[in-house]
């Protein structure tokens, strides 16, 4: 079921207390998942107005156990707040007013250490409130063993093997919900988005060397097909297989374009094998290819002054020159219904992509694919620029090359990770209807560039 992170009005991160900006989904300092912060209660605590004590009657008003705020309004002679507190609950008023967080001791102020609060309460003869009934008493004082994960919501409960807090039951963020990686010459960011319950995208970035010692940079981005089974597994398998194949073939001297072709074939075989796993879909099962795991793939390799790309599906590669006075370009053609309509001259691009069938893909990796047709292309840019490799979770919000170039920060070629973060934020600000993944590869060329050329297969 789709879910959207809860909107919070936090000014500081619950994890590190660093200031937050409006609309932040993750803390910029510690990465705290702000969507995991429990939504505050919508009802307001009832404040019981105390009446004068009679015959030593207790006047403390209690709220139900586990209530987010314990409220006390003591009549004359009750314990009050610190000196200088104003209003009806201040000194000299008809009563002392106090708000305390769960587990706090009456008569102490928020922020008092638990141990000090217990001692203060005992010294004043105050009753110590009952701990959260969901938390065993032994666990309140127990020090978690090394390596134990604490809940990102309550910061007290331990996380079980299923990813849920044993104290408050909150589901913990999964590792793939938001991923970032940066190498010297490439960076990538992937995010679950605002509508999907999991991230079905995956990526792999790496560097290696050609036989002559010159560097080669690799970026692979995969998008799981949501209508297929286990799309998250398919994208992860494809990205890993393609990356490993390139890291094996490029150092051997295989031409980058041939290496890209072989990498896509290896990725397809890896995804196909998911349909044959024991206990999943047996070889003799006549329906094993129906709704098999599937994904799209797009990749880029920078090596020997060449930019080589390859793809199957509707994930894309864009070229954004460092000098924005030069035109940007989209380097891939989608395997999609809309692209076929445009290529056949039956619709213009605006009409095709406005149709509800626009994103129906006609090519993918998976056991139920009609026929594997890897696309590859080789370019030799004559000027420096930025290579943008992304899923449709991004380009849905920056479809044309000009729109993508406008969304890319001007310094992205110097700060590729920051640039990728900004692009993911652009998609989330636009609605985040899909998983979002983007890799940025700054492409540098000698000042005496020898022109440009490209070839396709």
């Amino acid at each position: 079921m789709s879910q959207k992170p809860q909107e919070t009005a936090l000014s500081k991160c619950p994890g590190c207390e660093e200031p937050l900006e409006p609309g932040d989904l993750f803390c910029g300092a510690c990465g705290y998942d702000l969507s995991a912060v429990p939504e505050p209660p919508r009802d307001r605590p009832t404040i019981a107005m105390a009446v004068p004590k009679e015959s030593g009657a207790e006047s403390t008003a209690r709220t139900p156990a586990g209530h987010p705020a314990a409220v006390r309004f003591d009549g004359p002679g009750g314990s009050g707040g610190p000196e200088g507190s104003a209003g009806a609950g201040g000194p000299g008023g008809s009563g002392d007013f106090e708000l305390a967080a769960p587990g706090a001791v009456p008569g102490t102020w928020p922020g008092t250490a638990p141990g000090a609060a217990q001692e203060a309460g005992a010294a004043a003869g105050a009753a110590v409130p009952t701990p959260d009934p969901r938390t065993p008493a032994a666990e309140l004082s127990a020090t978690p063993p090394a390596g134990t994960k604490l809940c990102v919501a309550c910061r007290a409960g331990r996380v079980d093997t299923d990813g849920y807090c044993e104290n408050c039951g909150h589901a913990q963020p999964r590792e793939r919900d938001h991923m970032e990686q940066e190498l010297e010459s490439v960076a990538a960011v992937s995010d679950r988005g605002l509508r999907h319950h999991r991230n079905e995208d995956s990526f792999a970035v790496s560097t290696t060397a050609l036989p002559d010692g010159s560097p080669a940079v690799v970026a692979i981005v995969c998008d799981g097909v949501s209508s297929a089974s286990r799309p998250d597994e398919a994208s992860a398998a494809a990205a890993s297989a393609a990356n490993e194949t390139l890291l094996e073939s490029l150092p051997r001297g295989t031409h980058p374009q041939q290496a890209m072709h072989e990498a896509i074939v290896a990725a397809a075989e890896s995804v196909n094998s998911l349909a044959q796993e024991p206990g999943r879909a047996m070889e003799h099962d006549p329906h094993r290819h129906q709704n098999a795991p599937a994904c799209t793939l797009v990749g880029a390799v920078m090596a020997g002054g060449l930019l080589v790309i390859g793809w199957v599906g509707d994930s894309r590669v864009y070229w954004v020159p460092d000098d924005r006075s030069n035109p940007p370009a989209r380097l891939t053609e989608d395997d999609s219904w809309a692209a076929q309509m445009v290529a056949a001259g039956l619709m213009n691009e605006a009409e095709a992509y406005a149709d509800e069938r626009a994103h129906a893909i006609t090519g993918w990796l998976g056991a139920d694919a009609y026929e594997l047709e890897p696309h590859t292309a080789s370019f030799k840019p004559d000027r420096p620029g930025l290579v943008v490799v992304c899923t449709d979770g991004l380009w849905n919000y920056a479809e044309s090359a000009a729109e993508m170039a406008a969304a890319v920060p001007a310094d992205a070629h110097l700060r590729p990770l920051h640039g990728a973060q900004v692009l993911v934020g652009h998609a989330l600000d636009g609605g985040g209807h899909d998983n979002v993944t983007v890799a940025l590869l700054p492409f540098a060329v000698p000042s005496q560039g020898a022109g440009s050329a490209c070839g396709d297969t």
Side-chain angles (χ1 to χ4, degrees):
M1 182 176 67
S2 298
Q3 59 183 13
K4 183 176 181 179
Q6 298 173 354
E7 296 183 1
T8 63
L10 298 177
S11 59
K12 293 184 179 180
C13 172
C16 65
E17 297 190 353
E18 287 295 314
L20 299 173
E21 296 293 334
D24 280 352
L25 299 179
F26 295 88
C27 174
C30 69
Y32 189 100
D33 183 1
L34 301 178
S35 68
V37 178
E39 185 177 8
R42 300 188 181 184
D43 60 318
R44 297 183 179 180
T46 300
I47 301 179
M49 302 301 292
V51 295
K53 296 181 181 179
E54 296 181 3
S55 304
E58 178 65 33
S59 64
T60 300
R62 295 188 179 183
T63 55
H67 197 285
V71 181
R72 192 178 72 180
F73 190 93
D74 289 339
S79 59
E83 293 183 5
S85 58
S94 60
D96 295 333
F97 183 77
E98 176 180 322
L99 287 175
V105 177
T108 62
W109 288 93
T112 304
Q118 297 288 342
E119 294 175 3
V128 178
T130 304
D132 188 329
R134 297 168 296 182
T135 305
E139 292 187 11
L140 292 176
S141 58
T143 301
T148 299
K149 292 184 178 181
L150 293 181
C151 174
V152 300
C154 69
R155 289 290 179 178
R158 304 177 189 180
V159 179
D160 63 21
T161 55
D162 294 327
Y164 291 87
C165 175
E166 295 177 345
N167 179 42
C168 69
H170 193 97
Q172 305 300 294
R174 285 165 289 199
E175 182 179 358
R176 283 183 65 171
D177 283 354
H178 185 88
M179 302 180 292
E180 297 186 358
Q181 186 176 356
E182 181 180 35
L183 302 177
E184 292 183 0
S185 50
V186 60
V189 177
S190 181
D191 191 271
R192 183 185 66 186
L194 304 181
R195 301 295 180 89
H196 285 257
H197 73 285
R198 65 181 175 185
N199 190 358
E200 296 171 356
D201 287 357
S202 190
F203 70 80
V205 294
S206 58
T207 59
T208 186
L210 301 180
D212 62 2
S214 61
V217 182
V218 174
I220 302 293
V221 169
C222 297
D223 184 355
V225 178
S226 295
S227 59
S229 63
R230 300 148 58 201
D232 52 331
E233 296 181 33
S235 62
S240 177
N243 183 62
E244 291 176 2
T245 300
L246 287 166
L247 292 181
E248 292 175 359
S249 58
L250 290 172
R252 293 200 309 263
T254 305
H255 189 278
Q257 191 165 356
Q258 177 62 31
M260 178 62 76
H261 181 95
E262 294 173 358
I264 296 176
V265 172
E269 293 174 350
S270 179
V271 177
N272 291 350
S273 66
L274 295 178
Q276 311 295 339
E277 289 184 359
R280 300 281 188 158
M282 304 301 291
E283 178 66 30
H284 60 270
D285 184 354
H287 305 292
R288 65 183 182 277
H289 293 311
Q290 295 180 10
N291 201 35
C295 69
T296 68
L297 180 148
V298 65
V301 173
M302 297 189 308
L306 293 176
L307 167 61
V308 173
I309 63 174
W311 74 97
V312 174
D314 61 351
S315 293
R316 294 180 176 180
V317 177
Y318 291 83
W319 167 259
V320 179
D322 288 352
D323 182 356
R324 299 300 176 87
S325 64
N326 294 310
R330 172 154 66 96
L331 305 182
T332 56
E333 292 293 335
D334 299 342
D335 289 323
S336 69
W337 181 91
Q340 286 190 343
M341 294 298 103
V342 174
L346 300 177
M347 291 183 175
N348 61 40
E349 194 164 297
E351 293 172 337
Y353 282 99
D355 193 284
E356 62 181 8
R357 297 165 290 181
H359 291 280
I361 57 175
T362 58
W364 61 88
L365 306 182
D368 59 351
Y370 299 118
E371 184 178 354
L372 179 62
E373 295 182 4
H375 310 288
T376 63
S378 178
F379 302 86
K380 190 172 184 181
D382 60 356
R383 64 202 67 190
L386 188 73
V387 181
V388 181
V389 184
C390 65
T391 62
D392 61 345
L394 172 60
W395 66 253
N396 278 333
Y397 301 98
E399 189 169 328
S400 69
E403 291 172 328
M404 183 62 72
V408 173
D411 63 347
H413 62 290
L414 300 174
R415 304 168 63 197
L417 178 59
H418 174 260
Q421 293 168 337
V422 169
L423 289 174
V424 169
H426 176 79
L428 298 180
D429 290 343
H433 287 73
D434 199 356
N435 306 145
V436 190
T437 303
V438 58
L440 298 184
L441 300 84
F443 191 100
V445 296
S447 57
Q448 70 277 11
S452 63
C454 69
D456 298 286
T457 61

